Amino acid sequence: MEIKVLKKLMAAQEADAEISRKFFSDMNVAAVNMMSSPGSGKTALLEKTLEALGGEIGAAVVEGDILTTLDAERLARFGIQTAQINTGPFGGDCHLEAAWVRSAAEQLNLSRVDLLFVENVGNLVCPAEFNLGVDANVVLISVTEGEDKPAKYPIMFRSCDLCVVSKIDLLPALDFDMELLEKNIRAANPGLRVMKLSAKTGEGVGEWLDWLRGMSASKKQKI
Amino acid sequence: MEIKVLKKLMAAQEADAEISRKFFSDMNVAAVNMMSSPGSGKTALLEKTLEALGGEIGAAVVEGDILTTLDAERLARFGIQTAQINTGPFGGDCHLEAAWVRSAAEQLNLSRVDLLFVENVGNLVCPAEFNLGVDANVVLISVTEGEDKPAKYPIMFRSCDLCVVSKIDLLPALDFDMELLEKNIRAANPGLRVMKLSAKTGEGVGEWLDWLRGMSASKKQKI
């Protein structure tokens, strides 16, 4: 009986994801879901991204946190629209769900938005299990987190289209084996594209921006 | 009706935690539950701890991971007993529950064990919501994760007896505001004890070992 309940729940999630997919498509928006452990640098990368893209691509952010609007405030400084989801009132949920993200996105004026970033709750486990109906799922992993994370959290790495290895400016201070990380990533998801960057120094950010330009170009441009 | 189900679930969890508490007490074991984001350094600190304590205190570890026995293998090198819980077969659960930890602990010979470490699944959200019936809950936060985490994950910081700020050897490479972190910790949990250490250099580890000696001394010594 428990399994039936779970199946029903997941079927409802998938149906919701399909509605979101249609919504993003109708709005002509490329939606990018960013997931990682707490503190891997999602917000820092978004700050760097918004600064670099400037008016080149219309961007907006749906921000997911259990509590606080700290990240949304950091990003609103760039003059973009942000919608905050706080899961705290719903039991402190550890992930975002398709319906919540869509409700938040519906509050934004998307007429000039090409790229909609979804910054998920900081958690390397649960967010991977919820299909948000987005155009791309991205996992960030910082080099301070160790090489073993793809082996320990394979569902996350399997559910993503891109893996961003962040904070590479810290490599000189760490005993970090990049080859081992890449081997573990390939074992979890052989086809997963990997980019290495530092939002602090800007190293490698160009490749990320080009990838975003490609995501945006797959939709009809609005600016 | 959903709320009723949730209440019933949480009541069952609390009842299970009580059974675990009695089990640890009967076994004369001090159980320490260690929680953090993935990659904050729980296993590295346990390695340093087991190395430093040597035969001084009898230790064992219940290791929680979604998948792999990587961490248990790292710790078994110190000649201690380890019991691995992989939550993967149960849907990839993002936390440990009292009954699972107890079942794992029951597989160990605790006759010479004074300190039982529980290394929880790497996750700053869900593990905080499950009472394991242990003697102390510890949250690790590494200085690479940013100062805002106690504000964003207050339930974790509220549910703990000790906060370990890890990887302080990396401070020179970071723009990290320790005072801001401590302010955020106090805002989440004013009485929370904070220790700063580096498992790599050993700085600050003495205070942690003394705290563990105190935990152990609160039980009748077996060695």
Side-chain angles (χ1 to χ4, degrees):
Chain A
M1 204 149 104
E2 255 184 80
I3 293 168
K4 262 193 204 161
V5 172
L6 190 65
K7 273 192 185 161
K8 213 170 145 187
L9 254 172
M10 293 320 283
Q13 289 290 340
E14 287 302 316
D16 254 338
E18 204 39 57
I19 299 171
S20 287
R21 193 175 299 284
K22 190 173 179 319
F23 172 76
F24 296 135
S25 171
D26 289 349
M27 290 290 132
N28 199 28
V29 158
V32 176
N33 176 30
M34 299 178 66
M35 298 180 280
S36 80
S37 297
S40 299
K42 296 184 293 302
T43 315
L45 180 57
L46 283 175
E47 286 176 319
K48 191 77 181 174
T49 303
L50 295 170
E51 185 193 314
L53 289 179
E56 181 190 336
I57 297 176
V61 179
V62 171
E63 188 61 50
D65 282 301
I66 297 174
L67 283 174
T68 81
T69 54
L70 292 170
D71 291 348
E73 287 160 27
R74 281 170 65 182
L75 299 176
R77 290 189 297 113
F78 294 90
I80 58 151
Q81 298 179 75
T82 62
Q84 175 79 48
I85 302 173
N86 276 144
T87 66
F90 311 107
D93 264 304
C94 48
H95 61 272
L96 294 180
E97 300 192 9
W100 310 344
V101 173
R102 194 172 63 249
S103 298
E106 283 169 351
Q107 292 167 31
L108 303 172
N109 177 352
L110 297 174
S111 61
R112 292 187 172 217
V113 171
D114 300 305
L115 269 179
L116 178 67
F117 294 102
V118 179
E119 186 176 345
N120 218 306
V121 178
N123 183 341
L124 208 50
V125 189
C126 318
E129 296 170 25
F130 291 84
N131 185 347
L132 301 185
V134 293
D135 296 87
N137 289 298
V138 179
V139 57
L140 268 80
I141 173 149
S142 84
V143 292
T144 63
E145 292 171 50
E147 304 88 350
D148 58 352
K149 297 304 166 291
K152 295 171 77 176
Y153 305 88
I155 299 169
M156 175 59 79
F157 287 81
R158 268 180 223 138
S159 68
C160 281
D161 307 288
L162 173 65
C163 174
V164 171
V165 181
S166 62
K167 304 194 190 183
I168 59 170
D169 59 287
L170 292 177
L171 283 172
L174 300 167
D175 305 318
F176 187 80
D177 185 340
M178 186 67 83
E179 276 183 33
L180 179 56
L181 175 71
E182 293 184 283
K183 192 182 142 206
N184 287 333
I185 292 172
R186 280 195 303 273
N189 184 349
L192 186 59
R193 181 165 174 188
V194 178
M195 288 181 197
K196 302 162 201 167
L197 57 78
S198 162
K200 193 173 173 182
T201 65
E203 188 184 348
V205 171
E207 190 184 358
W208 159 251
L209 295 175
D210 284 342
W211 182 81
L212 290 174
R213 288 184 184 106
M215 289 297 301
S216 166
S218 68
K219 309 273 167 169
K220 197 179 66 193
Q221 293 298 290
K222 289 174 190 164
I223 290 183
Chain B
M1 203 149 103
E2 257 185 81
I3 293 169
K4 262 194 204 159
V5 173
L6 190 65
K7 272 192 185 162
K8 213 169 146 188
L9 253 173
M10 293 320 283
Q13 289 290 340
E14 288 301 316
D16 254 339
E18 204 39 57
I19 298 170
S20 288
R21 193 176 299 283
K22 191 173 176 321
F23 171 77
F24 297 134
S25 172
D26 289 349
M27 291 290 131
N28 199 30
V29 158
V32 177
N33 175 32
M34 297 177 65
M35 299 180 280
S36 80
S37 297
S40 299
K42 295 184 292 302
T43 315
L45 180 56
L46 283 176
E47 286 177 319
K48 191 75 180 173
T49 302
L50 295 170
E51 185 193 314
L53 288 180
E56 181 190 336
I57 298 176
V61 179
V62 171
E63 188 61 51
D65 282 301
I66 297 174
L67 283 173
T68 80
T69 54
L70 293 169
D71 290 348
E73 287 160 27
R74 281 171 65 182
L75 299 176
R77 291 189 297 113
F78 294 89
I80 57 150
Q81 298 179 76
T82 62
Q84 176 78 49
I85 302 172
N86 276 143
T87 66
F90 313 107
D93 263 305
C94 48
H95 61 273
L96 295 180
E97 300 193 7
W100 311 345
V101 172
R102 195 172 63 248
S103 299
E106 283 169 351
Q107 292 167 30
L108 304 171
N109 177 351
L110 297 174
S111 61
R112 290 183 173 222
V113 171
D114 300 306
L115 268 179
L116 178 68
F117 294 102
V118 179
E119 187 175 345
N120 219 306
V121 178
N123 184 340
L124 209 50
V125 188
C126 318
E129 295 171 25
F130 291 85
N131 184 349
L132 301 185
V134 293
D135 296 87
N137 290 297
V138 179
V139 57
L140 268 79
I141 173 149
S142 84
V143 293
T144 63
E145 293 170 50
E147 304 89 348
D148 58 351
K149 297 303 166 290
K152 294 172 78 176
Y153 305 90
I155 299 170
M156 176 60 79
F157 288 81
R158 268 180 224 140
S159 68
C160 281
D161 307 288
L162 173 65
C163 173
V164 171
V165 181
S166 62
K167 306 195 188 180
I168 58 169
D169 59 287
L170 292 176
L171 283 172
L174 301 166
D175 304 317
F176 187 80
D177 185 341
M178 187 66 83
E179 275 183 35
L180 179 56
L181 174 69
E182 293 186 283
K183 193 182 142 206
N184 287 334
I185 292 172
R186 280 194 303 274
N189 183 350
L192 186 59
R193 181 165 172 187
V194 178
M195 287 180 196
K196 302 163 202 166
L197 56 77
S198 162
K200 193 172 174 183
T201 66
E203 189 185 347
V205 171
E207 189 184 359
W208 159 251
L209 295 175
D210 284 342
W211 182 82
L212 289 174
R213 288 185 184 105
M215 289 297 301
S216 167
S218 69
K219 309 273 167 169
K220 197 179 66 192
Q221 293 298 290
K222 289 173 191 162
I223 290 182

